[in-house]
Amino acid sequence: MDCKLEDTNSFDSNFWQDRRVLVTGGTGLVGGWLIKRLLAAQADVVCLIRDWTPQAEIVQNGSLDQVTVVRGDICDQQCLERVLGEHEIETVMHLAAQTIVGIANRNPVSTFEANIGGTWKLLEACRRSPLVKQIVMASSDKAYGDAKVLPYTEETPLAGMHPYDVSKSCGDLIAQTYANTYGSSVCITRCGNFYGGGDLNWNRIIPGTIRSALRGEAPVIRSDGSFVRDYFYVEDGAAAYMHLAEQMAMHPELAGEAFNLSTEIQVSVLDVVQKVLDELDSDLQPVVLGQASHEIKHQYLDAAKARDVLNWRPLFTFEQGLQRTIQWYSNFFNQSTATPIAATPKAPPQPAAAVVGKVA
């Protein structure tokens, strides 16, 4: 890549106003925050939803009442073609996926169907829909598999070995195929472990630890606690996807490119748990089960390409994102119970002054 894009961290109101955007996976963690941000930019949002999830962020923050909802499955190509055509979609944000490693290990077929089949069916539907101009496809750092050289760059081979990792490797390669063979305007994002308010999968370490601490219960770690991950705050992810779509519109040569998005901070599971407990002034001690299997031991990303080509940077540090996340769950549990929670988190930070109002 030899292009250098204009540095901007605020969404382009002229680009998004009345723009017809399809978001798949809108009831997921990132989807809820992305839709909220798209609505703030006055986009015309269509959301494909399969399962009704009343506690999803898109429902909780009121965004669902402001979007067009299509009930359907990402694996239904006829449905996808109808949505793209009838709603005259211009930009597609593809976030729909089965994202839980444990579920993928137990139910690989449903994971392959959603993450691989759903991707090629959506891309094929987009290929048949001439109004679609940009497709942002969410892959994952797991697409790299258990690479021996760290950090992962975009040149690291995609080499998943277990069901979830393989599903992301395959979906990623399929997206590149549609760009290289058919000229589809698709870019790929590879992010670390997303965290933030609205994640109701309590098996994940951050929401599970926060819930346990707020209840005064010892948090449970499935692994031995030494696994190292790249944690990425959800509001940063939502902002980055919009930023990428804008840059794709200005620079069509980006089609087929993949970008790592990361704060480039390595954090172990034990460190994450301790940071949560410290933030809540809790003296609880975690229970370490040491039972995790088929999971990658050590992962983190190099985001130099996104910085250099997209002039992108995250809005929040890990600690800032964690404080905002804890505040979200504190409010969530206080609203859902008549008894106030015992712990009181510190006030969440705002973005640093240098990047206030900026897209990550």
Side-chain angles (χ1 to χ4, degrees):
M1 292 295 299
D2 56 4
C3 60
K4 198 86 168 178
L5 306 186
E6 180 184 357
D7 187 8
T8 176
N9 275 334
S10 62
F11 59 67
D12 182 349
S13 298
N14 292 328
F15 178 82
W16 292 107
Q17 187 172 23
D18 301 325
R19 190 171 194 82
R20 297 185 176 183
V21 183
L22 172 65
V23 178
T24 71
T27 57
L29 172 60
V30 185
W33 290 97
L34 174 60
I35 290 169
K36 182 178 180 180
R37 189 175 179 88
L38 286 167
L39 290 173
Q42 300 183 54
D44 184 355
V45 180
V46 178
C47 184
L48 180 71
I49 293 178
R50 184 189 66 180
D51 299 335
W52 174 246
T53 311
Q55 291 185 319
E57 177 62 19
I58 188 177
V59 179
Q60 294 293 312
N61 67 27
S63 298
L64 191 66
D65 297 332
Q66 303 174 59
V67 305
T68 299
V69 176
V70 176
R71 298 301 297 270
D73 194 308
I74 193 65
C75 295
D76 185 343
Q77 188 175 328
Q78 284 188 324
C79 172
L80 295 171
E81 291 188 19
R82 181 188 71 79
V83 171
L84 294 171
E86 292 185 5
H87 293 281
E88 299 180 304
I89 298 298
E90 299 171 86
T91 300
V92 174
M93 300 287 197
H94 178 39
L95 280 64
Q98 195 297 104
T99 61
I100 308 303
V101 173
I103 292 175
N105 289 337
R106 293 191 301 271
N107 304 97
V109 173
S110 65
T111 300
F112 294 153
E113 287 176 342
N115 298 3
I116 303 174
T119 296
W120 71 253
K121 288 175 181 177
L122 177 63
L123 289 169
E124 180 64 12
C126 289
R127 187 172 75 90
R128 296 166 178 260
S129 304
L131 294 182
V132 173
K133 298 179 176 66
Q134 302 89 31
I135 308 161
V136 175
M137 184 266 190
S139 182
S140 168
D141 60 349
K142 306 302 181 294
Y144 293 119
D146 194 1
K148 303 306 178 187
V149 178
L150 294 172
Y152 300 164
T153 72
E154 289 82 358
E155 301 304 313
T156 300
L158 304 182
M161 294 182 64
H162 301 295
Y164 180 72
D165 312 336
V166 167
S167 77
K168 301 310 286 187
S169 299
C170 290
D172 199 312
L173 288 168
I174 288 168
Q176 294 178 55
T177 294
Y178 270 83
N180 294 325
T181 303
Y182 304 110
S184 298
S185 182
V186 54
C187 276
I188 301 147
T189 64
R190 298 171 186 156
C191 303
N193 286 25
F194 275 112
Y195 72 98
D199 186 355
L200 302 181
N201 187 320
W202 308 112
N203 289 324
R204 290 199 180 108
I205 192 63
I206 290 180
T209 299
I210 295 172
R211 183 176 71 167
S212 295
L214 292 176
R215 291 177 171 178
E217 302 169 353
V220 175
I221 297 175
R222 291 184 300 109
S223 68
D224 63 6
S226 66
F227 287 22
V228 173
R229 290 291 182 266
D230 208 326
Y231 292 90
F232 194 49
Y233 182 51
V234 65
E235 291 187 73
D236 269 329
Y241 291 164
M242 289 177 62
H243 181 65
L244 179 54
E246 293 172 20
Q247 300 309 315
M248 291 171 68
M250 292 189 289
H251 297 271
E253 66 271 24
L254 289 176
E257 292 292 332
F259 294 94
N260 292 340
L261 299 171
S262 166
T263 55
E264 299 176 292
I265 302 297
Q266 304 175 63
V267 189
S268 74
V269 170
L270 277 172
D271 286 341
V272 169
V273 171
Q274 193 58 54
K275 285 178 183 292
V276 172
L277 295 175
D278 289 345
E279 194 65 35
L280 290 168
D281 294 324
S282 172
D283 58 2
L284 292 167
Q285 296 298 313
V287 176
V288 180
L289 300 180
Q291 296 175 349
S293 61
H294 302 314
E295 294 194 31
I296 297 165
K297 190 80 173 175
H298 193 170
Q299 287 187 305
Y300 72 103
L301 296 164
D302 181 328
K305 180 180 176 182
R307 289 197 307 272
D308 294 342
V309 176
L310 303 177
N311 288 318
W312 169 86
R313 64 187 182 278
L315 285 168
F316 300 94
T317 65
F318 176 68
E319 289 76 14
Q320 289 172 329
L322 191 60
Q323 289 174 32
R324 292 171 73 89
T325 301
I326 290 171
Q327 186 62 58
W328 189 95
Y329 286 102
S330 174
N331 295 337
F332 175 78
F333 285 115
N334 270 329
Q335 291 168 3
S336 61
T337 178
T339 304
I341 56 174
T344 302
K346 302 169 187 175
Q350 297 302 313
V355 291
V356 168
K358 304 255 179 173
V359 168

